Amino acid sequence: MPPRPRIHLIAPAGSCRPFFEPIGVRSAAELVALAQEAIGRTYQVSANEAILEAAEDKSRGGRIDDRLRAEDLQQALADSDVVAVVALRGGAWFTRILPLIDFTVLDRRDRRVAVFGFSELTPL
């Protein structure tokens, strides 16, 4: 049986950690499970949970994991099983990872991918 198409959650700018309590979750794993429950069984929800809940250090320019965030997005764009990429947070820290992403991975996809987001994600 082929794998279910995936919806990949990303946090390419700010961390999702500040939103855990307001939506009633304690971790990125619980956030992914909540999204999976809302979406149902047609799609599998995936995410790099460490990136979703990474700490921010405003004194060092916000996020210090630029390379990891870029790799997470690039891997999702390269994976033909990923049918949608959903950014959970906007923020200026996204624009610094754009030059780190190899967008030629899109040329090798077997199907289209939808990208959902807001704020600074619009350049994508």
Side-chain angles (χ1 to χ4, degrees), residues 14-68:
S15 172
C16 295
R17 190 183 284 187
F19 300 108
F20 289 171
E21 185 178 338
I23 62 172
V25 299
R26 293 173 296 200
S27 67
E30 288 184 15
L31 177 64
V32 172
L34 183 66
Q36 185 67 66
E37 182 181 329
I39 289 170
R41 303 266 324 132
T42 303
Y43 299 96
Q44 177 185 351
V45 177
S46 63
N48 181 322
E49 294 170 6
I51 291 174
L52 294 186
E53 62 186 25
E56 294 177 9
D57 183 352
K58 293 191 186 336
S59 69
R60 296 185 63 198
R63 299 284 294 259
I64 58 171
D65 57 352
D66 290 2
R67 174 86 36 214
L68 290 174

Side-chain angles (χ1 to χ4, degrees), residues 58-112:
K58 293 191 186 336
S59 69
R60 296 185 63 198
R63 299 284 294 259
I64 58 171
D65 57 352
D66 290 2
R67 174 86 36 214
L68 290 174
R69 289 179 292 126
E71 288 172 1
D72 183 40
L73 178 53
Q74 182 174 315
Q75 288 171 358
L77 294 174
D79 186 342
S80 290
D81 289 333
V82 174
V83 296
V85 176
V86 179
L88 301 178
R89 291 251 354 239
W93 302 322
F94 171 68
T95 55
R96 9 182 250 234
I97 71 168
L98 276 172
L100 303 176
I101 300 168
D102 175 11
F103 289 102
T104 64
V105 297
L106 292 167
D107 296 335
R108 296 183 290 281
R109 288 186 59 91
D110 295 331
R111 61 176 133 181
R112 292 178 187 218

